[in-house]
Amino acid sequence: MVVSSDDDSVLLSSTLTSTKGFHTTSITRLALRGSRPPLCNLHLYFTLSAQLFADPYELDLRRASYTLQRFGGGNLEAPVFASGSGHGAPSGLLLDLIIPEERRGGDEEEGGSVVVLSVEVPLHARYGVPKTEGRELIDKVVLPPPEAFWACKQDAAFGRGDQGRVQVPDALREVLELAPTLERASSLVFIPHAENLQAQMLHVPVGDARDVALVETGTVVVILVAFAYLFRAIGRAQYSKAVNVGATKKE
């Protein structure tokens, strides 16, 4: 597979709409210069830490903007410390971007047309491990900038990129072997990051370890009370039914 770069285009920015809480949206802006190359699809690949996940059912609602493939991540919404949450496993999100027809011509500038795409990806944080006394009850979860690239069915060179001299990011190496859409590509053309592009950080609240015993005890008490209430309600319903049947027979 030939690997090169498209140095005329650039990944401008990658930001989070909210940097606190369990729900946020990653907004990535791409500036693409020139016409869309033939037989090439534009992709974004996100590397997600164990504490972040993307809900594929939610992302399906954005099919007008992209289709997706999800790798790893375990069970949706499971806490980080739970079995099956995907903790420690590779996790990623590969998007196949759809460029609107009316925007493929772009805005004319010196050197060719430019299209600026804005891609929104909703993300969610898992519940983290409760912390002990004296520590800040916040997990700082890092989201690296995504990798943007063209996957082409034939060899392609863009702009001033040096074909064959671009290294494939480590996070993307395994995905190249797993993603069916990339297996068929004969060349990858990476879009470089803007110089000031940095990783984003999400501040996620976590529980206080001192409250764990109280919460567990309270949960057990609530379940037992609910069970007793249901048992009593069922007994009263059966008793009322028996009384009504007996009264009907006497009549």
Side-chain angles (χ1 to χ4, degrees), residues 13-18 24-28 44 46 62 66 118-123 143-146 200:
S13 64
S14 182
T15 58
L16 297 177
T17 56
S18 173
T24 188
T25 298
S26 172
I27 301 179
T28 302
L44 270 184
F46 291 83
R62 299 174 181 264
Y66 49 73
S118 181
V119 183
E120 297 186 3
V121 180
L123 298 172
L143 177 66
Q200 299 298 303

Side-chain angles (χ1 to χ4, degrees), residues 33-34 57 113 128 147 156 195:
R33 186 181 298 278
Y57 304 105
S113 61
E147 298 293 342
E195 291 184 0

Side-chain angles (χ1 to χ4, degrees), residues 22-23 25-26 35 67 69 73 170 180 209 248:
F22 289 93
H23 309 282
T25 298
S26 172
S35 60
T67 58
Q69 295 179 68
D170 291 338
T248 302

Side-chain angles (χ1 to χ4, degrees), residues 170-181:
D170 291 338
L172 194 56
R173 290 184 182 276
E174 291 189 29
V175 177
L176 292 178
E177 301 175 1
L178 298 174
T181 56

Side-chain angles (χ1 to χ4, degrees), residues 118-136:
S118 181
V119 183
E120 297 186 3
V121 180
L123 298 172
H124 308 277
R126 303 179 189 275
Y127 293 110
V129 179
K131 296 188 176 182
T132 56
E133 183 179 2
R135 301 179 63 187
E136 184 183 17

Side-chain angles (χ1 to χ4, degrees), residues 10-231:
V10 65
L11 196 155
L12 295 172
S13 64
S14 182
T15 58
L16 297 177
T17 56
S18 173
T19 57
K20 297 180 180 179
F22 289 93
H23 309 282
T24 188
T25 298
S26 172
I27 301 179
T28 302
R29 296 178 67 245
L30 288 162
L32 308 176
R33 186 181 298 278
S35 60
R36 177 175 179 172
L39 301 178
C40 294
N41 291 330
L42 181 60
H43 295 277
L44 270 184
Y45 179 73
F46 291 83
T47 301
L48 303 179
S49 70
Q51 202 160 340
L52 288 177
F53 71 93
D55 186 342
Y57 304 105
E58 182 180 14
L59 296 183
D60 277 344
L61 301 177
R62 299 174 181 264
R63 282 175 290 183
S65 300
Y66 49 73
T67 58
L68 67 125
Q69 295 179 68
R70 179 171 169 263
F71 301 94
N75 297 329
L76 296 181
E77 300 188 15
V80 172
F81 49 85
S83 174
S85 66
H87 182 62
S91 175
L93 188 67
L94 180 66
L95 305 183
D96 186 347
L97 304 184
I98 298 174
I99 304 176
E101 291 289 343
E102 64 273 14
R103 300 190 62 183
R104 290 184 184 178
D107 301 321
E108 292 295 331
E109 290 187 2
E110 184 179 356
S113 61
V114 174
V115 173
V116 177
L117 292 181
S118 181
V119 183
E120 297 186 3
V121 180
L123 298 172
H124 308 277
R126 303 179 189 275
Y127 293 110
V129 179
K131 296 188 176 182
T132 56
E133 183 179 2
R135 301 179 63 187
E136 184 183 17
L137 300 180
I138 293 290
D139 275 345
K140 297 178 180 179
V141 182
V142 176
L143 177 66
E147 298 293 342
F149 61 95
W150 298 94
C152 304
K153 294 182 179 179
Q154 60 184 19
D155 293 351
F158 292 57
R160 300 181 302 277
D162 292 329
Q163 184 168 313
R165 298 183 182 179
V166 178
Q167 294 295 321
V168 176
D170 291 338
L172 194 56
R173 290 184 182 276
E174 291 189 29
V175 177
L176 292 178
E177 301 175 1
L178 298 174
T181 56
L182 300 184
E183 285 181 349
R184 296 188 292 270
S186 61
S187 66
L188 297 180
V189 183
F190 283 88
I191 296 175
H193 293 173
E195 291 184 0
N196 60 347
L197 192 63
Q198 298 179 349
Q200 299 298 303
M201 185 174 294
L202 181 65
H203 296 77
V204 181
V206 296
D208 191 329
R210 295 172 297 177
D211 298 331
V212 172
L214 178 61
V215 171
E216 289 179 344
T217 302
T219 301
V220 172
V221 171
V222 170
I223 292 174
L224 291 176
V225 170
F227 178 78
Y229 174 80
L230 290 174
F231 184 78

